[in-house]
């Protein structure tokens, strides 16, 4: 990745890391499926009126809505409501990187290099340290729901990569529009009448997850997936628990042990190693175009 794209991937991890604390706040005021449904409804409307068509076949929109929208967020929020704390959830969900690589290799035929394998091993060693330090304190069923959410996210990554939508933001708006109705219907069936009376804290939480985390975050995520292999982009989400734990320390006062610091170092090192290419000497100087344009082209060419 180029330095600018790397910074974009890390910034996205920060947005999604803080997102877990924000969602935990929102779940104090809304049932989980309703919260997810309202999230996507806000992300879709009124933006859908100005977005235009998604630019890909409708089956890809439905596939990503079923996996990322209903699958990932439905299972994730139900798991959090069932007892998974925000910090531990931000950790467990990152096994989606492993699911993404497995799906990308088996379904898309992407190449799994030794460099990526080593980087993932180092990063997952850090995740293992965090898992031991945290301990699975919540109900085991809630833990399994979060693992299932990670698998749904990994499959959704591969579907979106294969669809290659020309406009990531427009695509995510349509995904949100198709995700909201089934989530709200499930909420009515399983959770009862919708709860629309919430203090400002609950609605501000929804504004963050709808516009910053969902539209902004998945718009950037899809843009990166169009330029690079899914198995290159996905490991950067391993930084999410680093930011998730940091925000938990700052906002909720959660203690930060030396084991978690060591794990964070391993995660960052592994992610950066897996997601970068070894430097090679250029065969010749570019004959035309600025150096910035060349820097923009080369990483994309290597990733495709």
């Amino acid at each position: 990745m180029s330095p600018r794209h790397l910074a974009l991937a890390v910034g996205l991890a920060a947005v999604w890391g803080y997102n877990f604390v924000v969602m935990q706040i929102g779940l104090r005021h809304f049932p989980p499926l309703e919260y997810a449904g309202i999230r996507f409804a806000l992300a879709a409307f009124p933006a859908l009126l100005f977005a235009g068509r998604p630019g890909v076949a409708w089956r890809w929109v439905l596939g990503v809505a079923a996996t990322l929208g209903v699958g990932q967020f439905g299972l994730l929020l139900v798991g959090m409501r069932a007892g998974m704390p925000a910090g531990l959830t931000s950790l467990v969900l990152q096994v989606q990187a492993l699911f993404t690589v497995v799906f990308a290799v088996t379904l898309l035929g992407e190449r799994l290099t030794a460099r990526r394998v080593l980087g993932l091993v180092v990063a997952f060693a850090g995740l293992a340290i965090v898992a031991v330090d945290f301990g699975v304190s919540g109900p085991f069923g809630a833990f399994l729901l979060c693992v299932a959410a990670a698998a749904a996210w990994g499959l959704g990554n591969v579907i979106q990569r294969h669809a290659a939508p020309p406009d990531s933001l427009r695509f995510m708006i349509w995904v949100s529009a198709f995700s909201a109705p089934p989530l709200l219907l499930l909420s009515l069936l399983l959770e009862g009448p919708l709860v629309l009376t919430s203090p400002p804290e609950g609605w501000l939480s929804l504004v963050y997850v709808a516009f910053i985390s969902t539209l902004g975050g998945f718009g950037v995520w899809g843009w990166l997936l169009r330029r690079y292999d899914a198995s290159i982009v996905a490991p950067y989400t391993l930084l999410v628990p680093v930011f998730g734990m940091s925000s938990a320390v700052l906002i909720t006062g959660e203690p930060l042990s030396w084991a978690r610091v060591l794990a964070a170092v391993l995660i960052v090192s592994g992610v950066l190693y897996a997601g970068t290419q070894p430097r090679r000497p250029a065969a010749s100087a570019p004959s035309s175009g600025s150096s910035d344009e060349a820097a923009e082209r080369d990483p994309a060419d290597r990733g495709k």
Side-chain angles (χ1 to χ4, degrees), residues 109-291:
E110 293 185 5
R111 188 165 57 96
L112 189 60
T113 65
R115 186 183 185 92
R116 293 182 196 174
V117 171
L118 179 57
L120 286 173
V121 168
V122 172
F124 275 105
L127 288 178
I129 292 174
V130 178
V132 172
D133 185 58
F134 266 124
V136 184
S137 58
F140 189 67
F143 175 80
L144 291 180
L145 285 170
C146 289
V147 173
W153 187 1
L155 183 57
N157 288 339
V158 173
I159 294 173
Q160 186 167 344
R161 167 71 175 173
H162 187 71
D167 187 319
S168 301
L169 180 58
R170 183 188 307 164
F171 181 76
M172 195 59 210
I173 290 171
W174 278 102
V175 168
S176 299
F178 280 102
S179 299
L183 284 167
L184 292 174
L185 179 60
L186 286 171
S187 177
L188 285 170
L189 293 174
L190 301 176
E191 298 170 341
L194 298 180
V195 177
L196 298 177
T197 56
S198 169
E201 179 183 70
W203 289 106
L204 287 175
S205 169
L206 280 166
V207 167
Y208 179 92
V209 298
F211 299 113
I212 299 177
S213 177
T214 302
L215 286 184
F218 278 99
V220 170
W221 177 254
W223 185 85
L224 288 172
L225 283 175
R226 284 193 292 113
R227 297 186 64 88
Y228 299 96
D229 284 351
S231 51
I232 290 178
V233 177
Y236 281 88
T237 60
L238 292 171
L239 295 173
V240 170
V242 176
F243 292 107
M245 288 186 293
S246 300
S247 61
V249 170
L250 294 174
I251 297 172
T252 68
E254 186 175 312
L256 184 63
S257 66
W258 284 108
R260 296 177 194 176
V261 173
L262 174 61
V265 172
L266 289 175
I267 291 170
V268 171
S269 301
V271 165
L272 293 179
Y273 186 78
T276 56
Q277 296 282 352
R279 185 180 296 275
R280 295 186 179 93
S284 60
S287 59
S288 62
S290 67
S291 59

